[in-house]
Amino acid sequence: MTGGGLLVAGTTSDAGKSVVTAGICRWLVRQGVKVAPFKAQNMSLNSFVTREGAEIGRAQAMQAQACRVEPTALMNPVLLKPGGEQSSQVVLLGKPVGELSARGYHGGRQQQLLGTVLECLAELRGTYDAVICEGAGSPAEINLRRTDIVNMGIARNAGLPVLVVGDIDRGGVFASFFGTVALLSRQDQELIAGFLVNKFRGDVSLLEPGLDMLHDLTGRRTYGVLPFRHGLGIDEEDGLRISLRGAVRESEVSSPFGEDVLRVAVCAVPLMSNFTDVDALAAEPGVVVRFVDRPEELADADLVVVPGTRGTVRALEWLRERGLARALVRRADEGRPILGICGGFQLLGEHIEDDVESRRGQVEGLGVLPVRVRFAREKTLTRPVGEALGEPVEGYEIHHGVAEVTGGEPFLDGCRVGRTWGTHWHGSLESDGFRRAFLREVAAAAGRRFVPAPDTSFAALREEQLDRLGDLIEQHADTDALWRLIESGAPQGLPFIPPGAPA
């Protein structure tokens, strides 16, 4: 028997598809439904390693946690990891299979993957009571519809009803809803069941006349109006919150447990990957995390994090161009704390031999850690477990660079010299005891009277966030109607809205 299904699409990227999908998943699992997430094709530099050693998007790993199931490659069969403006690494069923330009991918390769995608979805639907699928971008990308395997392409082939999410905080949500439907073919429109308004501020009664008019215009109902809530953008896929002068993200700061706050500056390197590594720091009361792109912004930082990147050599050049490289070397010489993670660890070393990622050959690193890096064609995808600073640590590794450590003190898989640490392990700071021990060392080195709170559990905070998403769906969506969609598909007799898809 095939389980029920639903595709959560959006009027735009970042309309809230990921969190709405997670919220529906958490609501369903609390009702006793065996549910799984699915995203046919994901473009993201934020990825995760499953227990079987497969690389998938972090959003799908987060959604699997919302479902209280272990993430697998079936949940995100195609992952695209941008390597620049024109090309991406294609990860198929958790393993990299090559680099393709956007033209090459959409020109034929994407459509070839449709069979694999449908097989993965069918396997999940044969195992679970329901599969909640997430789309990508907008279903009305008319230039890409012919080769689409993630929005209406998957909905048509699998017979999935589609719920379109719109971010009303951006404005123009009614036009976006109407235009999305009106640009689809008759066959695609038959699967657009209705709409979900996201990030609404104010009195819902003021919105209701517009929702009634939208129903009159499209014949489709709105399944809920979700209020704006801070702090729900967990495991974002495609980027940071951007200010006018650069990539800057500030955490919501709880009152410090000790007398001081601790300031963390994260270098906003190009092609930054897994910037969610610092979410565990931001979750600590009294820790302020911000993304920076100028050397003077490192001056008052108690800890500087150089994060992972899909372009280690490019990031190194960017640091040098902006003067951040000199600031990092000076900081290391002064014994002020630096943490390099994955690509950030690699560029802190002596030199990098790269004939794989940038194909630049041997490049001099910053030379603050006794490490030599050689890029291998085979990607390392593991879930290591170990100990550091007297505490147990878990993490995950996603990298082509192989590090030869020639000195310093051991630190996870990397090393430490003075107050500079380097490791390939993503996610290590989610280990509570290790994070607290690390922050104590940073505070002592920085001369701050900061004390980590003794009871902060990152896993518990993540569960609270997922429950908040489930609450949003349960309290502000028509859950009975949503379940009918999942179980029975799109309503019959939905009207066609002209003009439809262009010929």
Side-chain angles (χ1 to χ4, degrees), residues 464-484:
E464 287 176 16
Q465 284 184 305
L466 293 171
D467 276 331
R468 288 173 67 198
L469 293 178
D471 292 343
L472 276 180
I473 298 299
E474 190 168 334
Q475 296 167 11
H476 300 283
D478 186 338
T479 52
D480 289 341
L482 277 180
W483 178 246
R484 285 194 297 272

Side-chain angles (χ1 to χ4, degrees), residues 49 342 380-384 395-399 413 424-426:
V49 179
C342 201
T380 297
L381 296 168
T382 62
R383 291 273 293 270
Y396 56 98
E397 296 184 47
I398 306 169
H399 54 92
D413 72 319
H424 277 125
W425 290 24
H426 295 290

